Amino acid sequence: MPLLVGGATTSAKHTAVKISPNYDGPVVHVLDASRSVSVVERLLNKEHRDEFIAQNVATQKELVASFNDRKQTLVPYAEALQKRFATDWASVQIDKPSFTGTRVLKDIPLEEIRPYIDWSPYFSTWELKGKYPKILEDEVVGEQARELFEEANRLLDEIIAKKLLTANAVYGFWPAASSGDDVILYTDETRKHELKRLHFLRQQWERRGQKDYRSLADYIAPVDSGREDYLGGFAVTAGIGAHELAMKYKEQLDDYKAITASALADRLAEALAEMLHERARGDWGFGKTEGLSKEELIGEKYRGIRPAAGYPACPDHTEKRTLFDLLDAERTVGIELTSSFAMFPGASVSGLYFGHPESRYFTVDRMTKDQIQAYAKRKGLSLEEVERWLAPNLAY
């Protein structure tokens, strides 16, 4: 029985190094769930199955060798803390949001979300390489891309007209201050009572030309800085009804439409995250004069970032629970967290809003035991439990 491993927070290298050695059958990394169709097709093909499996094994051996040969120098956690990303907190621009607490948007019209869709990942779903809209005129895949695009938009027209999917969102802002690698959120502007605490991790690996080791906490003003700062958070879904719609097409033996419907729900969820971030930056003040085109929005030409738990800058999935509690996301928008902190419906996006003018995305990557021990203590968890959740990032 083959095992397929995929999703945005997985990698071919992690699959080869950590998973494949623990299973006797073929273990194949699939970048996106919708790409599993072509993989399964090859595994079911008697003529090509053995060749495909042998090629996969050879590729994984190369990835394991690359992993074992990697040269990455890690500094002690205390040194990384000392060389944190520095901000002149006396002069940096910090804007005050127009409200604190949360706001809920229910049954958002899909036609309002549609213009924010980034179509490039949709073509990747079907293993067509190229960026939208240039891919539509590509000499090699242009004709197929145009056909896929037209069919996707026909189905999207139907989804919008018949309201086959429901989109909800919740977002908010809280008074915040950093303390080491933690960010404290307060109940109100008096900043006397702690509401929740978010725990972040710090880079430790040396890179050429590097001056600092970053943590997301670096983008929030420290408790003793004399400045009042804020942190935002959000959760959106365009996947309510997506599972039922895909199953309906599968029952009609129309796998193509089932995959298309799921892929469109994913695109709408990402588009809603982009649309909501634009609104949030406006509420925060600094986004009111952006004047960015949809292409510039998709290209993230704006100030601020929206990192998510489980991704490179914030690799611990368990922090998602704190965010969902802050947003009351299960009740307000209908997104549930599984026991492994995956979101259901799958066409959902959540994360944090940072407004620091110099904030940017980064990768925490591997960490030494001293940081993991300090992190476990901060979270009030056992070392073993933290190691289990951060297994891909352990350097020991």
Side-chain angles (χ1 to χ4, degrees), residues 17-18 22 79 106 160-161 235 237 242 262-263 266 309 332-333 351 359 362:
V17 174
K18 298 284 189 178
N22 293 289
E79 182 180 339
K106 299 293 284 285
I160 292 173
T237 184
S262 296
D266 289 341
T332 55
V333 292
S359 59
F362 58 87

Side-chain angles (χ1 to χ4, degrees), residues 40-237:
V40 172
E41 185 178 29
R42 291 172 209 167
L43 288 167
L44 290 174
N45 188 312
K46 292 181 180 178
E47 291 182 21
H48 302 294
R49 173 187 165 91
D50 291 344
E51 181 185 349
F52 175 73
I53 291 172
Q55 185 180 14
N56 182 63
V57 169
T59 300
Q60 290 186 340
K61 283 182 178 178
E62 291 177 5
L63 289 170
V64 171
S66 170
F67 178 79
N68 291 332
D69 291 341
R70 69 199 184 287
K71 294 179 180 179
Q72 191 180 54
T73 303
L74 302 178
V75 302
Y77 179 47
E79 182 180 339
L81 265 172
Q82 190 177 11
K83 296 179 180 177
R84 65 191 305 148
F85 170 73
T87 294
D88 180 2
W89 292 110
S91 62
V92 70
Q93 180 182 344
I94 299 178
D95 297 271
K96 182 178 180 178
S98 59
F99 72 94
T100 55
T102 59
R103 288 183 177 176
V104 180
L105 308 174
K106 299 293 284 285
D107 202 9
I108 302 165
L110 299 181
E111 57 268 28
E112 292 182 12
I113 304 171
R114 188 176 195 167
Y116 291 84
I117 291 178
D118 178 5
W119 283 101
S120 296
Y122 180 79
F123 296 106
S124 297
T125 296
W126 303 100
E127 297 189 354
L128 298 184
K129 293 183 179 180
K131 283 194 172 185
Y132 174 84
K134 287 184 178 180
I135 191 173
L136 300 179
E137 306 303 324
D138 187 270
E139 292 181 4
V140 179
V141 300
E143 183 177 351
Q144 191 177 0
R146 288 192 297 273
E147 184 180 344
L148 283 169
F149 187 61
E150 289 167 7
E151 289 168 347
N153 276 281
R154 274 199 297 271
L155 182 54
L156 185 54
D157 289 338
E158 182 182 348
I159 287 170
I160 292 173
K162 295 180 179 179
K163 297 185 176 181
L164 300 177
L165 297 176
T166 300
N168 296 329
V170 58
Y171 72 114
F173 303 100
W174 301 274
S178 64
S179 175
D181 281 343
D182 288 348
V183 170
I184 304 165
L185 304 181
Y186 298 99
T187 55
D188 54 43
E189 292 283 7
T190 65
R191 299 172 184 259
K192 291 181 179 178
H193 303 289
E194 184 174 321
L195 174 63
K196 292 282 184 182
R197 188 174 288 236
L198 291 162
H199 309 279
F200 296 114
L201 293 157
R202 183 169 296 279
Q203 294 175 315
Q204 289 184 261
W205 53 296
E206 290 185 334
R207 300 172 308 288
R208 186 178 298 173
Q210 141 198 19
K211 296 179 180 178
D212 50 50
Y213 299 86
R214 296 191 180 219
S215 163
L216 288 174
D218 295 344
Y219 299 143
I220 299 294
V223 174
D224 59 359
S225 66
R227 300 295 301 276
E228 294 185 345
D229 210 342
Y230 299 85
L231 180 73
F234 73 97
V236 305
T237 184

